[in-house]
Amino acid sequence: MKVKRLLGTLLTVTLLFGQVVTANAAEVGGINQLNFEAEGANLQNLSSDLMDDEIQYEFTESTGDEDVSALAETRRTSNKYMWNRNTYAYDFSWQTWSSNREVYSTYPKNSEGFVMGGFLLNPKGPADYNTALREGYLNDSAYAADQGHFYQNVVSSEGSNYVTFMLESNAHVFIFDNDLNLIYRSTDEAGVTSYFTSYYSTKKTIAGNSNKVICLGMTTGNYYFVFKAADDTTTSGCHYGFYSGQPLPIAQTTSFSDPTHYVAIKWDNHSMSQTVTTQTLTITCPSGTATEYALTGVKFIDKSKPFANHTYASSIDYYYTPPTAGYSIHLTQTGGWWSDLVDTTPPSGSIDGSYATKVTVHWVDNISYINARCTTMTQMTLDYLVPFGIIVG
């Protein structure tokens, strides 16, 4: 998908300039000496320097008739964020903002007087997003044109070093390092590249309004986020919100074209059930990205109806072994014959790796036709999570 580069109009902010040695709320809020515009030589357009033209997540798939015992050598990859089937996926369409226009003033402050950024970690439901969210309106009683809204944000670990900003048309964010040097401004998406590991920018409609959405990967350190209005005279487009910690987990689904559980089983003239190992489908994620994908669900669509496999079979059991486990899992049939076969509780890990399959056919009572056979075939679909701004936009 194409990344929309948002090269916003440069906001002119006229403030006094001076050195601030100690970073605390009293000093910053009192002397108004933050520099929002200078040091342009140190700021580079991050959308050019850190953001790819496209965010791609196409997979390589291959099918082989491999023995299940070969799974002992199958790669098993963990998810970078420890996401799993219990992780609650984020969707921009359901994001709402507080109706309290003084919400910024409700957040607790640390000992230095700064509002702390929230922390998003493996969210299990809406409550976790509500706790992690920080937001404000740049026309509330706490807002002053020469100060803005201040937050302190500490980045200490890889995988939880992201911040996602959502800015309405009149809201801008400026980031300062621990020494209060300007290292990023959203006005022209410029920053000091050494502070950032990744960058993504797009537009989203959130709560009915267009927002610039920016996802930044940040190096370890102590930072200050300052939100300011582009136009202090207007009352519209003044809302901002942000999540820090992990990136937002986005739900994705992909169907794979190669057939699985594909076999014609001939009755052996004496058994009432027969088990056959079928295809192993191997999925390879793009290079270096396997840990970004988190498996949350597996479905096999039954494609065997044209073969009339119920003529001599009373029932069929379908199994698969995901790369996240070393044992076979019995798939649950969602209905009668030819209905979808699902595993809604797959073991945690990346989708990257091999998915072995097998079937067990149970023949009808009093079977006697020596040429009786049963043909099965499925197509695999995976549900998984990917990080917004890293894999998907």
Side-chain angles (χ1 to χ4, degrees):
M1 61 187 68
K2 291 290 182 180
V3 172
K4 299 176 182 177
R5 293 184 174 176
L6 307 181
L7 304 180
T9 303
L10 183 63
L11 170 67
T12 302
V13 183
T14 304
L15 292 175
L16 298 176
F17 172 68
Q19 291 284 33
V20 179
V21 177
T22 304
N24 64 60
E27 289 180 329
V28 174
I31 60 180
N32 304 327
Q33 292 183 336
L34 287 178
N35 178 16
F36 289 83
E37 284 299 333
E39 304 186 35
N42 295 327
L43 301 180
Q44 303 174 32
N45 187 272
L46 297 188
S47 64
S48 298
D49 295 338
L50 293 179
M51 188 165 67
D52 293 333
D53 287 336
E54 293 185 355
I55 295 179
Q56 299 186 14
Y57 51 98
E58 295 182 358
F59 311 110
T60 300
E61 58 178 298
S62 59
T63 305
D65 297 319
E66 302 174 16
D67 190 273
V68 176
S69 62
L71 286 173
E73 300 178 0
T74 297
R75 61 183 182 274
R76 297 173 189 170
T77 307
S78 299
N79 172 253
K80 181 178 181 179
Y81 313 104
M82 303 305 291
W83 293 341
N84 53 47
R85 65 181 183 274
N86 296 317
T87 301
Y88 195 85
Y90 180 85
D91 192 324
F92 286 94
S93 67
W94 53 250
Q95 179 69 65
T96 58
W97 305 127
S98 174
S99 59
N100 176 14
R101 301 191 73 84
E102 301 291 327
V103 63
Y104 170 71
S105 299
T106 68
Y107 298 123
K109 294 181 173 60
N110 62 15
S111 59
E112 293 180 329
F114 284 106
V115 174
M116 292 295 293
F119 190 74
L120 186 67
L121 181 67
N122 198 5
K124 299 300 195 300
D128 292 332
Y129 287 104
N130 292 336
T131 300
L133 177 66
R134 294 292 182 268
E135 60 173 319
Y137 295 86
L138 297 177
N139 52 6
D140 66 356
S141 60
Y143 180 76
D146 56 359
Q147 295 177 22
H149 285 180
F150 275 87
Y151 295 84
Q152 183 179 10
N153 198 74
V154 178
V155 175
S156 60
S157 62
E158 184 180 359
S160 295
N161 60 327
Y162 297 93
V163 58
T164 302
F165 297 110
M166 305 173 196
L167 309 170
E168 288 189 355
S169 58
N170 196 39
H172 294 285
V173 63
F174 299 82
I175 302 178
F176 296 84
D177 66 10
N178 190 60
D179 297 321
L180 298 185
N181 298 307
L182 177 66
I183 62 169
Y184 176 78
R185 61 184 177 226
S186 64
T187 54
D188 55 351
E189 301 192 59
V192 181
T193 56
S194 60
Y195 286 90
F196 305 104
T197 60
S198 64
Y199 185 81
Y200 179 74
S201 174
T202 188
K203 278 187 176 180
K204 296 284 186 181
T205 298
I206 305 173
N209 294 318
S210 177
N211 281 242
K212 177 188 285 188
V213 180
I214 298 166
C215 182
L216 281 164
M218 307 186 70
T219 58
T220 300
N222 181 53
Y223 300 97
Y224 299 94
F225 301 156
V226 184
F227 294 88
K228 290 181 61 63
D231 182 355
D232 295 314
T233 65
T234 183
T235 59
S236 62
C238 294
H239 184 272
Y240 66 85
F242 73 94
Y243 294 95
S244 57
Q246 291 183 341
L248 299 174
I250 306 297
Q252 299 282 284
T253 299
T254 297
S255 295
F256 298 90
S257 58
D258 287 336
T260 45
H261 296 108
Y262 187 27
V263 65
I265 304 174
K266 186 178 181 299
W267 181 46
D268 62 7
N269 295 327
H270 66 276
S271 300
M272 290 308 297
S273 63
Q274 292 171 242
T275 299
V276 177
T277 298
T278 50
Q279 293 76 22
T280 294
L281 178 62
T282 299
I283 298 171
T284 303
C285 296
S287 178
T289 68
T291 61
E292 304 285 355
Y293 298 83
L295 181 65
T296 58
V298 181
K299 179 173 69 175
F300 289 87
I301 302 172
D302 196 326
K303 297 288 187 178
S304 62
K305 187 173 184 178
F307 303 115
N309 54 6
H310 63 312
T311 304
Y312 299 106
S314 61
S315 64
I316 305 171
D317 293 326
Y318 293 82
Y319 300 86
Y320 89 111
T321 304
T324 52
Y327 52 87
S328 293
I329 297 173
H330 185 199
L331 291 159
T332 300
Q333 197 165 29
T334 57
W337 283 95
W338 311 298
S339 62
D340 292 341
L341 307 145
V342 300
D343 177 14
T344 58
T345 59
S348 303
S350 172
I351 66 173
D352 187 80
S354 297
Y355 298 75
T357 63
K358 65 179 181 180
V359 297
T360 296
V361 174
H362 303 280
W363 303 106
V364 297
D365 293 338
N366 302 317
I367 187 172
S368 60
Y369 181 48
I370 61 173
N371 290 319
R373 65 181 60 240
C374 174
T375 300
T376 61
M377 183 172 67
T378 63
Q379 181 183 18
M380 188 175 75
T381 296
L382 295 183
D383 295 325
Y384 52 94
L385 297 172
V386 291
F388 174 79
I390 292 63
I391 298 298
V392 66

